[in-house]
């Protein structure tokens, strides 16, 4: 039995484990550094760019669905609203326009 040299099949396994560790660290770091304030401001800027309305028309509440983090609600034109469903990484997963009074 030789202890000085590893068998050849450990090299791809080591590469795969290293790649998985790097991906996990990157995703974990991104998740930890994303703040609620930054997400709300980014979504409010997107809303202003889409509609031209005021940034103060937006507020956030915790999401009730699995896999989502926040629901940013912005008061829309003509009494409606726009809901942005945001995941834990700060990305908008879904956008929904709600018409009120119709």
């Amino acid at each position: 039995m030789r202890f000085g040299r590893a068998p050849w099949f450990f090299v791809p396994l080591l590469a795969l484990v290293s790649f998985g560790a790097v991906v996990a660290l990157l995703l974990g770091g991104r998740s930890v550094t994303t703040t609620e304030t930054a997400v709300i401001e980014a979504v409010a800027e997107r809303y202003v760019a889409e509609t031209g309305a005021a940034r103060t028309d937006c507020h956030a509440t915790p999401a009730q669905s699995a896999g989502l983090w926040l629901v940013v609600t912005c008061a829309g034109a003509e009494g409606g609203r726009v809901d942005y469903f945001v995941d834990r990484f700060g990305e908008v997963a879904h956008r929904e326009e709600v018409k009120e009074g119709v």
Side-chain angles (χ1 to χ4, degrees):
M1 182 179 223
R2 296 182 307 194
F3 291 104
R5 297 172 61 180
W8 63 270
F9 58 86
F10 282 119
V11 174
L13 180 62
L14 180 63
L16 182 64
V17 169
S18 298
F19 177 74
V22 168
V23 169
L25 285 172
L26 290 174
L27 290 177
R30 183 175 173 197
S31 176
V32 169
T33 59
T34 304
T35 64
E36 291 178 358
T37 303
V39 169
I40 295 167
E41 288 181 3
V43 172
E45 288 177 14
R46 175 178 170 175
Y47 176 71
V48 169
E50 290 175 355
T51 63
R55 288 176 53 121
T56 56
D57 292 343
C58 300
H59 68 280
T61 55
Q64 302 297 318
S65 300
L68 295 177
W69 180 29
L70 295 172
V71 178
V72 180
T73 302
C74 298
E78 302 162 3
R81 70 178 196 269
V82 180
D83 294 334
Y84 296 91
F85 298 90
V86 181
D87 65 11
R88 185 61 185 104
F89 297 111
E91 300 294 325
V92 175
H94 179 68
R95 178 184 182 275
E96 180 179 312
E97 291 188 34
V98 178
K99 306 287 185 193
E100 294 179 1
V102 177

